[in-house]
Amino acid sequence: MTSTPRRTTAPDPANESAALEGREEPAGALGREARGGVQRCRELAELLPVAITEADRAGRFVFVNRYGLEALGFTSLAELHGKTMTDVIAPGDRERARTNWGRRLAGEALAAAEYQLIRRDGTVFPAEVRSAVIERDGAVVGMRSVAVDISDRVRLERQRRRLQTRMLEAQKLESLGVLAGGIAHDFNNLLTVLIGNAELALLELPDGSAGRSYVADIQQAAQRAAELTRQMLAYAGKAPITQREVAINRLIRKMNALLELSTEHRARIELHLAPGLPRLRADPHQLGQVLLNLVTNAVEAIEGVSGTVQIETKEAIFDADGAGAVDVVDGTLAAGRYVTLAVADDGRGMDEDTRRRIFEPFFSTKFTGRGLGLAAVLGIVRAHHGAV
Ligand SMILES: Nc1ncnc2c1ncn2[C@@H]1O[C@H](COP(=O)(O)OP(=O)(O)OP(=O)(O)O)[C@@H](O)[C@H]1O
Ligand SMILES: [Mg+2]
């Protein structure tokens, strides 16, 4: 039989903790059994690798299992004295947590909620929290919660989403590549005929004749068009590669005069070339094209009267677990020894929308841009088993 008076009204907050602790248990054999059950629950709670908490109606902690204390950076319940559930929830999530708390106390059954929890040292981690009210004698005296650290799940989900967008973008580029490659291939053949015949015509036409300048214009335009198709072929990975041993620093120094010329005196080129780099198996012309395209963009991005373009080479060694890996936006790199080439400018930069589309062929934000520079860079780097 119970000696506790039946409570019909809302509990007195001062007694809530006592009520929650369940200090007033039935006497006799039934009481012993009940006490044994409580003891067993407590022991189980201490074993479980999830945070288990009990709080009174005001949210003050009455019980936190060992795992919960550790997860939050505490060693004993006493250290949480005076703290409430909302104190361990990140400020951005507090309002929502408070609302949910009130709804639960009012008897509403709510699904699990995700909150950012704060550790004692101020760091946060995401947790999935399930709660249920604690009732004593028909009155709600507090709330019991189980919180699971979901950092891994959140991280994996983020990774999965990133991979998916990357895959979609790769697929899009792939099909555009087939298209661009097909067109470029046919055009290249036609342009060869145009250029060849213009050359032959120039041989026939006398110096100073009116026809000569027209044909010369045709020849020049056809050459520019051929340059365009070369970039498209490079993007599609269909440019013929003649691989040789290339010392990239030497290649950059050799191209420096040409690069300086391309800056039109608006930018100073600074070279930061790491000594002792391994030689690459690569097509030097295509690597040169990569460098030229990047530097051209860098110079074009410089708005003021002058700026700086930095060209940097480095060695990068990735081991199997990705240590030392550089962040790539396209392609994946197996463990191994690589040379990285970076071109940086202090120009206007780009917004997120532009950044997402820069490798799309024919995407350009420039008035006269053809949008093929970076597409070609991508194609060439891919063809060389590298990554951007
Ligand atoms: N260094 C940079 N700074 C700011 N924006 C850049 C830079 N490099 C590229 N971009 C952006 O990426 C877009 C695509 O570059 P990409 O080189 O492919 O084409 P483009 O320079 O516009 O034309 P093309 O190179 O064919 O003449 C540019 O239009 C520009 O918006
Ligand atoms: Mg460009």
Side-chain angles (χ1 to χ4, degrees):
M1 281 292 104
T2 172
S3 57
T4 316
R6 248 194 119 66
R7 205 154 32 196
T8 47
T9 54
D12 168 8
N15 284 328
E16 273 176 24
S17 296
L20 259 173
E21 288 287 78
R23 280 177 206 147
E24 297 157 76
E25 293 292 347
L30 196 62
R32 270 201 301 284
E33 196 179 310
R35 275 195 295 280
V38 169
Q39 181 63 20
R40 197 178 311 137
C41 284
R42 284 283 191 254
E43 281 166 12
L44 272 173
E46 293 298 358
L47 273 180
L48 287 174
V50 292
I52 299 176
T53 64
E54 285 177 347
D56 62 19
R57 284 182 65 97
R60 286 180 301 241
F61 289 108
V62 175
F63 169 76
V64 180
N65 71 341
R66 201 172 303 137
Y67 186 90
L69 287 170
E70 269 168 27
L72 292 169
F74 295 92
T75 48
S76 75
L77 184 61
E79 291 168 347
L80 276 163
H81 182 73
K83 287 205 192 302
T84 65
M85 290 292 287
T86 34
D87 290 327
V88 299
I89 290 174
D93 285 345
R94 268 179 205 160
E95 203 41 54
R96 188 163 53 91
R98 244 180 239 126
T99 313
N100 285 344
W101 183 270
R103 286 168 64 188
R104 279 211 174 82
L105 284 182
E108 217 176 307
L110 297 179
E114 281 183 30
Y115 302 119
Q116 294 285 332
L117 302 189
I118 318 177
R119 297 189 189 92
R120 190 182 205 170
D121 64 8
T123 54
V124 296
F125 65 98
E128 186 178 80
V129 182
R130 282 162 213 279
S131 304
V133 292
I134 307 172
E135 282 183 296
R136 289 271 182 275
D137 307 316
V140 173
V141 293
M143 191 89 74
R144 188 172 287 131
S145 304
V146 175
V148 180
D149 183 340
I150 53 169
S151 307
D152 285 347
R153 195 212 292 170
V154 169
R155 198 179 45 241
L156 282 174
E157 176 59 22
R158 219 177 280 145
Q159 228 167 37
R160 194 188 61 79
R161 262 205 301 267
R162 221 179 14 233
L163 273 175
Q164 198 174 26
T165 33
R166 229 183 245 179
M167 210 175 67
L168 284 176
E169 271 161 24
Q171 273 168 1
K172 191 166 80 180
L173 288 184
E174 193 82 48
S175 45
L176 279 169
V178 173
L179 183 75
I183 296 174
H185 187 75
D186 287 347
F187 265 72
N188 226 15
N189 293 341
L190 297 171
L191 289 167
T192 311
V193 177
L194 260 178
I195 294 170
N197 281 294
E199 237 156 58
L200 290 176
L202 281 177
L203 290 177
E204 299 289 324
L205 289 165
D207 272 354
S209 70
R212 214 184 146 79
S213 72
Y214 298 146
V215 176
D217 280 354
I218 291 175
Q219 192 191 28
Q220 239 176 41
Q223 258 151 6
R224 271 210 301 277
E227 169 58 25
L228 269 176
T229 56
R230 253 196 301 282
Q231 300 256 36
M232 273 161 72
L233 280 172
Y235 166 65
K238 293 210 174 104
I241 297 186
T242 36
Q243 288 205 330
R244 279 200 270 141
E245 295 252 304
V246 182
I248 191 161
N249 288 348
R250 176 118 51 86
L251 179 85
I252 294 171
R253 287 204 192 90
K254 238 169 64 188
M255 283 186 68
N256 206 25
L258 173 69
L259 296 175
E260 292 280 3
L261 210 70
S262 79
T263 67
E264 298 160 1
H265 305 295
R266 289 198 300 139
R268 195 159 38 87
I269 294 185
E270 280 178 13
L271 302 184
H272 305 280
L273 310 178
L277 292 179
R279 283 166 175 268
L280 306 173
R281 291 268 329 144
D283 183 319
H285 293 292
Q286 296 196 12
L287 278 195
Q289 185 76 63
V290 165
L291 188 65
L292 186 65
N293 289 4
L294 291 176
V295 171
T296 308
N297 279 350
V299 172
E300 285 168 351
I302 287 165
E303 281 172 314
V305 272
S306 73
T308 316
V309 176
Q310 309 201 25
I311 302 174
E312 183 195 66
T313 56
K314 258 202 239 170
E315 182 173 355
I317 298 174
F318 310 167
D319 62 19
D321 13 284
V326 283
D327 222 9
V328 296
V329 292
D330 183 275
T332 41
L333 296 175
R337 198 167 171 217
Y338 295 86
V339 167
T340 64
L341 166 71
V343 175
D345 61 70
D346 51 8
R348 76 177 80 93
M350 41 187 142
D351 60 23
E352 186 53 34
D353 267 355
T354 304
R355 204 192 56 72
R356 233 183 306 117
R357 302 187 59 192
I358 52 174
F359 295 112
E360 262 177 42
F362 312 113
F363 171 78
S364 176
T365 56
K366 298 167 195 168
F367 186 59
T368 53
R370 301 158 307 176
L372 282 175
L374 290 181
V377 166
L378 186 67
I380 292 170
V381 172
R382 275 183 182 174
H384 284 82
H385 308 292
V388 179

